[in-house]
Amino acid sequence: MAQDWYVGIGGKARRIVKAYIGVGGKAREIVAGYVGVGGKARQFYSVKVKYKGIYSTTRYAPYGAENGSYAIFLTDTSPLETYAFNKSLVKSTVTNGITIRPNAICRIDSYACFSGNRTGYALNASLVKTSFTLSKNRYSATGCSLGTSGIIGYGHIGKDDSDDYQYAYDVDFFSNTFVRKTVEGGGIQTISSAINTSSYAIFAGGAKTPQGGTAGGNSYWQTFDKNYTRREIHVTNFNRYDLKRALVNNTGVFGGGQSYMSVLPEVKAINNNLTISSLSNLTYSNSLYCSTYIKNYAIYMDRRTDNTIVDVYDKNLVKTTDTRPVTTSDGYKNGVSFDKFGILSVQIGNNDETDGRLIVYQ
């Protein structure tokens, strides 16, 4: 487990977030430091990800976003409630909260945004709610940030007269004043996953039917830059939907996706040059993962009671493992990266009215 290292500045203890030492005329980052105690080496510093603790939402609240000031979580059962955690992880209940179960979630500038089928709601840094409108109904849509803008797109728009699903082959770009611009989006991306690097919003995979289930996944990824330019990338032998995403060192990480009723352990990374690479597999196959990220670490945790290993990918995309700090019974949504924390919303028992918890890393 990671350790912290502090230095005194102006009479106050300041935590060191990076430390370097000169080796051969070059600065090398210190990843761990030890001191001798009683003839044994005791670690006093490590840059590894650190488990911070468990925080209660009381009710299970799987839908999470952040706006720079708060991490915000929505419950999944009626009556719907909205919880806000500040940078000290103190919880409050939002009086005029979100009243929908969201299809898509993203941050747009200083707003945490939750989109329903046609209407979206956003909470600003004062937890004041505003609404915005999508170009069409978007069931099973996906959201992604990009700079101070946000993208909500894809999904399906309902059924036609022959009872076949009709898909939305476009995306809605929203500015930080919620001005909307709709652009062509390429192939089917329902039940997709998305993350943004500094230059691109990346939508990875998707299902061939809105329910997923026995359907296969989509091997085509769509990327958008800040000028609305789209590029399609074919990821060979990686047909997936409902991938879990993270961001490490400006590189998107996608793993734990489903295809044909199976959850597969393969993991792919895509950097800011849109180059794709394969990473070490997740520990478990056919498991429902949730993911979050913090600093230079991607964290993947399986929700199943017996699967206790947490997979961690560092800034070099090398996998290590840790032990899950608490037994969980549910928790398979994407987590929230907020301030200096990586947060996973889970359920620790069978009662979603009392067993909601946040697992927090830093």
Side-chain angles (χ1 to χ4, degrees), residues 263-265 281-289 302 304 307:
V263 183
L264 303 169
N281 286 358
L282 295 168
T283 298
Y284 302 112
S285 298
N286 207 25
S287 297
L288 291 176
Y289 276 90
D302 182 17
R304 297 189 180 186
N307 293 350

Side-chain angles (χ1 to χ4, degrees), residues 157-301:
I157 58 178
K159 294 183 177 182
D160 62 15
D161 293 338
S162 61
D163 209 34
D164 290 328
Y165 282 100
Q166 301 298 296
Y167 294 93
Y169 297 97
D170 56 16
V171 301
D172 293 333
F173 271 80
F174 288 93
S175 72
N176 57 359
T177 56
F178 295 99
V179 174
R180 187 185 70 223
K181 178 181 176 64
T182 303
V183 300
E184 193 273 329
I188 297 173
Q189 298 287 126
T190 187
I191 321 180
S192 182
S193 183
I195 199 73
N196 66 288
T197 64
S198 59
S199 301
Y200 297 97
I202 302 162
F203 291 78
K208 294 182 178 179
T209 66
Q211 295 89 357
T214 58
N218 184 358
S219 61
Y220 289 91
W221 295 10
Q222 310 293 337
T223 70
F224 297 87
D225 66 19
K226 296 174 184 178
N227 296 316
Y228 316 113
T229 302
R230 179 181 64 87
R231 176 179 171 183
E232 183 174 274
I233 301 173
H234 182 211
V235 186
T236 307
N237 298 322
F238 200 69
N239 301 346
R240 305 285 192 276
Y241 64 89
D242 198 25
L243 287 155
K244 297 303 182 286
R245 88 292 182 269
L247 187 71
V248 180
N249 199 21
N250 206 28
T251 296
V253 179
F254 295 93
Q258 301 184 52
S259 190
Y260 298 109
M261 296 297 288
S262 296
V263 183
L264 303 169
E266 289 82 10
V267 181
K268 297 288 186 182
I270 180 168
N271 65 18
N272 200 44
N273 296 318
L274 302 182
T275 301
I276 293 177
S277 57
S278 297
L279 308 187
S280 297
N281 286 358
L282 295 168
T283 298
Y284 302 112
S285 298
N286 207 25
S287 297
L288 291 176
Y289 276 90
C290 53
S291 66
T292 188
Y293 55 98
I294 181 64
K295 299 177 185 173
N296 290 316
Y297 294 93
I299 303 165
Y300 284 80
M301 189 187 74

Side-chain angles (χ1 to χ4, degrees), residues 320-342:
T320 57
T321 59
D322 203 345
T323 302
R324 187 177 59 196
V326 64
T327 298
T328 61
S329 61
D330 208 345
Y332 53 90
K333 301 291 184 182
N334 283 312
V336 175
S337 180
F338 167 64
D339 193 40
K340 58 180 183 255
F341 306 116

